[in-house]
Amino acid sequence: MRPVCMLRGQDILLPQLCRLFPASVTLKYIPLSWRVSTVVFIPKQGRVSLDRPKSFRPIFLSSFLPKTMEKMVARFVYEGSLLEQPLHPNQHAFTTGRSWYAGLRRRWQEKR
């Protein structure tokens, strides 16, 4: 399904997706068609020779439906669960404004 189909048929598709997304999360199942991606290799700028794999950047083209579901789940978590039970102050990975590297550096400094 392409995004333009969603825009044109949102009256029909939106109620279906509102049932499909929670069911997918509850059942812990991602439809097979959502797991398929096409990889396009784009040459990196400034590379003189294109005979090495590092000369290309892989771009994964996949369905917008799992991306949409992922954003909805993230919004639910960040605006719901995390407000009620915030993460531990030492949590760095997957946290906005913090990196896993900063967490390692902080931990290393505490041990010194």
Side-chain angles (χ1 to χ4, degrees), residues 20-37 62-70 73:
L20 179 65
F21 288 166
S24 180
V25 172
T26 301
L27 297 172
K28 300 176 185 171
Y29 179 78
I30 303 297
L32 291 174
S33 62
W34 291 8
R35 296 185 229 167
V36 176
S37 294
S62 60
S63 172
F64 79 97
L65 289 173
K67 294 175 188 177
T68 304
M69 186 173 75
E70 178 185 3
V73 169

Side-chain angles (χ1 to χ4, degrees), residues 30-100:
I30 303 297
L32 291 174
S33 62
W34 291 8
R35 296 185 229 167
V36 176
S37 294
T38 302
V39 182
V40 178
F41 295 95
I42 299 176
K44 292 181 180 177
Q45 284 185 331
R47 302 291 174 142
V48 178
S49 175
L50 298 178
D51 61 346
R52 295 179 176 235
K54 289 184 176 183
S55 301
F56 296 90
R57 182 179 322 280
I59 304 294
F60 293 86
L61 306 173
S62 60
S63 172
F64 79 97
L65 289 173
K67 294 175 188 177
T68 304
M69 186 173 75
E70 178 185 3
K71 287 180 182 181
M72 291 178 69
V73 169
R75 185 174 182 180
F76 174 79
V77 169
Y78 286 118
E79 294 180 2
S81 302
L82 288 180
L83 292 178
E84 296 167 10
Q85 295 180 333
L87 295 173
H88 191 277
N90 289 337
Q91 171 68 30
H92 286 269
F94 307 106
T95 305
T96 304
R98 298 183 184 185
S99 69
W100 62 270

